[in-house]
Amino acid sequence: MNAPEHRRLTIHVSETDTVSALLCCPQDARAGYVFAHGAGAGMSHPFMASVSTGLAERGIATLRYQFPYMERGARRPDSPRLAHATVRAAVALAANLMPHVPLFAGGKSFGGRMTSQAHAESPLPAVCGLVFFGFPLHPANKPSQERAEHLSHFRCPMLFLQGTRDALADVALIRKVTGRLGKSVTTRLFEDADHSFHVRGRSGYTDEQVRDSMLDAAAEWFMLHTDR
């Protein structure tokens, strides 16, 4: 299947903030995913692009978008208030563009956490569930669970895609967190993958193999949680 082209769009977050977005929507998409980037790289990063293309090949549309700080070329992430407003604006646009498919939201690292915080503050309209590509549970090599406390403030299907070598998410702690959240939460672990889903040569796998396995797992989960 040939992946569709990525359509460039603009999201109006507020009277003073607009951000860029990329819509990748295959024909007869079975679900849509509002996909936020991580703290250190924007929506055009190769990881973001490969996930978007790979999901499209599996029948899942994506809307990738920038946070305002990334749009400005700044390094310091936006305040949670502005980040949450951006998530909401992106979800609203996706709902308008894809009204006939089940909608999900989440993102890579920081983007996933900002999405879940926004959902905990007030449920994101039309969103059926959340998908995290490397949830950043704690600062690097400083295991803790505080960053996940807000996840208990709502109930919806969630998918955690995590590497076993992720310095921002101790595997034992991820298991504890997701175990408390109930049966609607799924965790998929990828052996030897770090926070960027990179694996070492001695793992016996390649980054591409890990990414394909991760995308297969995500697509299967999306299909299980749609009404179609």
Side-chain angles (χ1 to χ4, degrees), residues 198-219:
H198 170 69
V199 291
R200 296 169 292 190
R202 68 185 187 218
S203 70
Y205 303 96
T206 65
D207 290 359
E208 290 75 18
Q209 288 172 325
V210 170
R211 189 177 303 117
D212 282 343
S213 295
M214 184 168 57
L215 291 172
D216 286 343

Side-chain angles (χ1 to χ4, degrees), residues 77-162:
D78 302 309
S79 67
R81 181 178 179 181
L82 181 54
H84 298 169
T86 307
V87 170
R88 292 189 181 282
V91 167
L93 177 61
N96 286 332
L97 292 171
M98 299 179 283
H100 303 302
V101 300
L103 195 64
F104 300 83
K108 177 71 178 79
S109 193
F110 169 83
R113 186 161 69 99
M114 292 300 102
T115 301
S116 60
Q117 285 182 356
H119 194 62
E121 189 175 82
S122 180
L124 296 166
V127 168
C128 303
L130 303 179
V131 177
F132 306 107
F133 286 86
F135 187 86
L137 186 58
H138 50 73
N141 300 311
K142 296 181 179 179
S144 64
Q145 300 179 56
E146 287 79 5
R147 288 183 178 179
E149 289 178 355
H150 68 281
L151 297 175
S152 62
H153 295 174
F154 58 85
R155 285 288 180 269
C156 75
M158 288 184 272
L159 173 63
F160 289 78
L161 301 161
Q162 304 286 153

Side-chain angles (χ1 to χ4, degrees), residues 9-224:
L9 301 166
T10 298
I11 299 175
H12 295 272
V13 178
S14 68
E15 292 183 358
T16 57
D17 290 293
T18 61
V19 296
S20 302
L22 289 168
L23 175 68
C24 185
C25 188
Q27 279 190 332
D28 300 322
R30 294 171 288 174
Y33 179 47
V34 186
F35 187 24
H37 62 74
M43 67 178 183
S44 297
H45 186 272
F47 177 86
M48 299 288 292
S50 64
V51 168
S52 179
T53 298
L55 288 177
E57 292 169 348
R58 292 162 173 81
I60 311 299
T62 57
L63 179 69
R64 287 182 276 157
Y65 61 96
Q66 300 278 73
F67 285 106
Y69 78 96
M70 190 63 66
E71 191 80 349
R72 296 191 306 270
R75 292 186 179 182
R76 184 184 181 91
D78 302 309
S79 67
R81 181 178 179 181
L82 181 54
H84 298 169
T86 307
V87 170
R88 292 189 181 282
V91 167
L93 177 61
N96 286 332
L97 292 171
M98 299 179 283
H100 303 302
V101 300
L103 195 64
F104 300 83
K108 177 71 178 79
S109 193
F110 169 83
R113 186 161 69 99
M114 292 300 102
T115 301
S116 60
Q117 285 182 356
H119 194 62
E121 189 175 82
S122 180
L124 296 166
V127 168
C128 303
L130 303 179
V131 177
F132 306 107
F133 286 86
F135 187 86
L137 186 58
H138 50 73
N141 300 311
K142 296 181 179 179
S144 64
Q145 300 179 56
E146 287 79 5
R147 288 183 178 179
E149 289 178 355
H150 68 281
L151 297 175
S152 62
H153 295 174
F154 58 85
R155 285 288 180 269
C156 75
M158 288 184 272
L159 173 63
F160 289 78
L161 301 161
Q162 304 286 153
T164 61
R165 202 164 48 87
D166 189 340
L168 276 66
D170 178 81
V171 171
L173 290 183
I174 278 286
R175 289 186 183 279
K176 286 183 180 180
V177 166
T178 57
R180 289 198 301 265
L181 294 174
K183 294 182 178 179
S184 63
V185 176
T186 302
T187 305
R188 292 294 302 271
L189 299 175
F190 298 90
E191 193 64 34
D192 199 64
D194 63 14
H195 191 61
S196 298
F197 295 98
H198 170 69
V199 291
R200 296 169 292 190
R202 68 185 187 218
S203 70
Y205 303 96
T206 65
D207 290 359
E208 290 75 18
Q209 288 172 325
V210 170
R211 189 177 303 117
D212 282 343
S213 295
M214 184 168 57
L215 291 172
D216 286 343
E220 179 183 3
W221 185 91
F222 280 123
M223 295 303 100
L224 287 173

